[in-house]
Amino acid sequence: MIIAPSILSADFADFGREIEAIEAQGADWVHVDVMDGHFVPNLTFGPPAVAAFRSHVTTVMDVHLMIAPVDPFIEAYAEAGADVITAHLEAGPHIHRTLQAIRATGKKAGVALNPGTPAEAVRHLLDLADLVCVMTVNPGFGGQKFLDMTAKIRALRAMIGDRPVQIEIDGGVTAETAPLVVAAGADVLVAGSAVFKGGSVANPAPYGANMRAIRDSVLRAVA
């Protein structure tokens, strides 16, 4: 199980040290939510910001593009240092081409599904994808209530079979919801407020405690 804290919940005035803090406290990946104010009702990080984050990331930088159109920006985010680039199936008419374009940069390719999009929509994309991101909130803002997508996750896990494709969950992941999605077949958990709550760069220990609480809740559920 991989925990990928979303820096959307970090201190915007101190991203570098926030990234270093979550990695020191046990983060496996660093998740960067890119929003354009068009595909989703929020505006976040352009390629220069992501390039600035890169110098602080020593694990995996997981860049989630909630933007449309997406294809014109793939190369810029690849050059900014993303290790994984995820685009939304709903962001354009040619998701197959989008995944090809991501792979052409040498990066891992992810495809994200909004809550209203069925698992079946990615059946013919799985040989091009390294990751399927299941949104368990409507994208655009952190801190939203978890939407139960466990049936979708189970369907995806069955569809993936023995392909080396990870299932990532993004939205409302907490110590209470993590066991549900992992039991259904997820292996990458994006968590924002659940990781960052109660901590700071000056007091990062709660970040580690929050991540351990998520891991422990899953371990208890499968014990």
Side-chain angles (χ1 to χ4, degrees):
M1 184 183 64
I2 291 168
I3 295 183
S6 168
I7 61 169
L8 193 64
S9 295
D11 179 355
F12 275 36
D14 207 356
F15 277 123
R17 291 201 300 163
E18 286 278 45
I19 289 167
E20 292 165 6
I22 58 173
E23 287 194 335
Q25 291 293 324
D28 301 298
W29 292 5
V30 174
H31 188 83
V32 181
D33 288 306
V34 175
M35 305 181 189
D36 64 356
H38 169 68
F39 181 66
V40 294
N42 202 355
L43 189 64
T44 59
F45 314 117
V50 174
F53 302 155
R54 177 73 261 183
S55 64
H56 299 276
V57 177
T58 62
T59 55
V60 171
M61 188 159 67
D62 177 31
V63 176
H64 179 188
L65 300 181
M66 287 172 270
I67 64 177
V70 64
D71 290 8
F73 299 97
I74 288 169
E75 189 171 344
Y77 282 100
E79 291 176 354
D83 295 300
V84 183
I85 298 176
T86 297
H88 271 258
L89 182 143
E90 306 88 359
H94 305 297
I95 186 63
H96 190 281
R97 180 185 297 163
T98 299
L99 294 175
Q100 287 179 316
I102 294 170
R103 286 198 154 190
T105 69
K107 309 299 182 179
K108 289 190 174 182
V111 56
L113 300 177
N114 283 338
T117 302
E120 184 64 29
V122 299
R123 180 178 293 276
H124 299 293
L125 301 171
L126 293 175
D127 290 328
L128 272 178
D130 298 289
L131 177 148
V132 178
C133 175
V134 177
M135 297 301 300
T136 43
V137 297
N138 286 297
F141 295 98
Q144 296 183 66
K145 185 178 179 181
F146 175 80
L147 300 174
D148 187 352
M149 295 287 141
T150 49
K152 183 190 290 189
I153 298 164
R154 286 193 295 270
L156 282 168
R157 179 51 64 197
M159 216 182 291
I160 288 167
D162 60 1
R163 295 179 179 90
V165 178
Q166 295 171 299
I167 297 178
E168 179 177 76
I169 306 304
D170 189 349
V173 171
T174 65
E176 290 69 41
T177 60
L180 304 176
V181 297
V182 172
D187 38 32
V188 181
L189 306 181
V190 176
S193 53
V195 168
F196 285 93
K197 67 182 179 182
S200 66
V201 165
N203 178 32
Y207 299 164
N210 294 337
M211 285 185 272
R212 286 192 297 274
I214 292 171
R215 293 187 197 279
D216 290 347
S217 70
V218 172
L219 292 173
R220 285 195 300 271
V222 299

